[in-house]
Amino acid sequence: MQIKIAPSILSADFSRMGEAVELCEKSGADLIHCDVMDGSFVGPITFGGQMVKNIRPRTKLPLDVHLMIEHPQTQIKFFAEAGADIITVHYEACSKISQSYLKDTLELIKSYGVKCGAVVNPDVPVENIFPVFGLCDMVLIMSVFPGYGGQKFIPSAIEKIRLAREYAVNTGKPELDIEVDGGINAQTAGQCVAAGANVLVAGSALFSAPDFASAVKGLRGQ
Ligand code: DX5
Ligand code: ZN
């Protein structure tokens, strides 16, 4: 499978976001990963739909919006209309509302013509999102607890990626995008790809690298 690199703009300079997005595209990235935090589901607050709307004209790359927020259904319209290409929502934010909230949210995202995905935190079994794999264009395995860039990779993500790929293959979706997010660098990237991930999010490893394009290649194992 083609490996896709998704720089997380959480690690960019927020006062120069347009330039950051252009750098990602020029350096060979495949997606722009937008980390949306609400100060409740996770401690910090980052940005909302307006940021997505403002960076939309600065790149042709798909915008991959990772919603780390409570009550995600309330925000889908804004991110869809702002130009998100894919929106992912956390299992943990949905399951505390109702049993059908995750499925309903994924269907709501799709109703806007936007791709959708489910996310699991490091302490949640990936099996919990197996029931919605059929609806998902992508699934996201967190390899750190969300909230901050620059954390250390949690190795138990590897087995979850393996299980996710195995389940996708066994249920007739061998090409499902499996994304991993948190602590990804040239070393951990290789382990994740070997386990079956094909979309690699990286913030600090790319934005702190002396050469962004070389760092993108490094994540691809080139
Ligand atoms: C964590 C975010 C990640 C994070 C990745 O809450 O979802 O996307 O920015 O940053 P690094 O690559 O530095 O771990
Ligand atoms: Zn993220």
Side-chain angles (χ1 to χ4, degrees):
M1 274 183 95
Q2 190 212 339
I3 305 302
K4 298 182 217 173
I5 306 299
S8 164
I9 56 170
L10 180 63
S11 296
D13 177 346
F14 276 37
S15 71
R16 299 167 65 195
M17 202 53 99
E19 290 159 60
V21 166
E22 287 165 3
L23 174 67
C24 294
E25 180 167 345
K26 201 176 68 186
S27 303
D30 302 284
L31 300 165
I32 304 291
H33 185 82
C34 305
D35 282 312
V36 176
M37 305 185 188
D38 66 351
S40 179
F41 181 73
V42 290
I45 296 176
T46 54
F47 52 78
Q50 186 67 38
M51 176 69 87
V52 172
K53 189 173 177 185
N54 287 171
I55 61 174
R56 179 65 287 174
R58 304 291 289 261
T59 179
K60 288 195 275 299
L61 295 181
L63 301 180
D64 165 27
V65 174
H66 175 194
L67 292 184
M68 288 162 274
I69 66 173
E70 306 284 7
H71 301 282
Q73 281 180 21
T74 63
Q75 292 295 313
I76 301 307
K77 176 179 194 285
F78 303 114
F79 286 98
E81 289 175 355
D85 294 279
I86 178 154
I87 300 175
T88 59
V89 292
H90 271 263
Y91 168 83
E92 304 80 23
C94 295
S95 62
K96 69 169 84 156
I97 298 175
S98 76
Q99 221 195 336
S100 66
Y101 193 92
L102 175 59
K103 178 176 174 284
D104 295 344
T105 309
L106 296 169
E107 283 171 348
L108 178 64
I109 296 168
K110 278 188 175 306
S111 75
Y112 286 95
V114 175
K115 291 182 176 172
C116 70
V119 192
V120 278
N121 270 343
D123 58 352
V124 171
V126 69
E127 288 87 344
N128 290 22
I129 57 169
F130 282 177
V132 295
F133 263 42
L135 273 174
C136 288
D137 299 288
M138 181 158 83
V139 296
L140 169 51
I141 312 290
M142 292 305 298
S143 42
V144 299
F145 284 92
Y148 303 91
Q151 303 182 75
K152 199 168 172 303
F153 182 82
I154 299 173
S156 55
I158 298 289
E159 176 62 6
K160 290 165 75 173
I161 293 167
R162 196 192 65 72
L163 287 169
R165 178 60 68 200
E166 184 180 77
Y167 188 78
V169 168
N170 290 344
T171 53
K173 287 186 87 168
E175 302 290 310
L176 178 69
D177 280 329
I178 298 181
E179 183 176 51
V180 58
D181 183 6
I184 300 297
N185 55 37
Q187 285 72 44
T188 54
Q191 298 168 32
C192 293
V193 170
N198 69 307
V199 185
L200 306 173
V201 177
S204 48
L206 291 176
F207 282 95
S208 67
D211 184 288
F212 202 104
S214 305
V216 168
K217 283 197 180 130
L219 292 178
R220 291 189 203 280
Q222 293 172 338

